[in-house]
Amino acid sequence: CRQVPSASHMKDTEWASWNCILGFPLAGVWPEGADGTDINAIDRNGTQTLVATADDFGRVNLFTWPCFHAKSECKTGKGHSSHVTCVRFLTDGLTLLSTGGKDTAIMQWGIV
């Protein structure tokens, strides 16, 4: 293991998974006026075609991957009573789990 001294060396790296809330391919998932804390979790599906977000407004949002453009369109699921703490795709890439904060619920979403 060795340190990579420059971020530019990593810019074209293809990652097997993506669950970091920051990155160029995610510029379009952030709502206008976001303060950097509005999105709590992100996960990209295994086929690298979709990305889901969990936000502070009780929503689970589904975007096309990559999502470069500001104000990108998404499908929104609302089921949690307050902030959503995490989202993760199952290995089939079409089933998504989300966990709620205050409601402590676990929800399963089917992507059709």
Side-chain angles (χ1 to χ4, degrees), residues 4 9 12 15 23 25 27 29-30 52 65 69-71 73 76-77 91-93 99 105 110 112:
V4 177
H9 289 96
D12 294 323
W15 300 100
V29 304
W30 290 90
W65 175 269
H69 304 290
K71 300 181 187 176
E73 290 186 25
T76 299
T91 56
D92 67 3
T99 57
V112 291

Side-chain angles (χ1 to χ4, degrees), residues 74-106:
C74 69
K75 302 286 184 189
T76 299
K78 182 87 167 123
H80 293 283
S81 64
S82 66
H83 65 290
V84 183
T85 58
C86 193
V87 287
R88 290 294 180 263
F89 281 99
L90 297 184
T91 56
D92 67 3
L94 296 175
T95 306
L96 183 70
L97 300 178
S98 64
T99 57
K102 202 167 195 174
D103 63 17
T104 66
I106 300 172

Side-chain angles (χ1 to χ4, degrees), residues 6-23:
S6 173
S8 65
H9 289 96
M10 301 300 294
K11 72 179 182 119
D12 294 323
T13 301
E14 289 290 327
W15 300 100
S17 64
W18 195 299
N19 52 26
C20 178
I21 62 172
L22 301 174

Side-chain angles (χ1 to χ4, degrees), residues 34-62:
D35 65 3
T37 65
D38 296 325
I39 294 179
N40 301 316
I42 282 182
D43 196 33
R44 181 183 66 191
N45 70 347
T47 58
Q48 300 184 14
T49 56
L50 300 170
V51 63
T53 67
D55 69 24
D56 278 347
F57 313 106
R59 296 185 305 241
V60 173
N61 301 300
L62 191 65

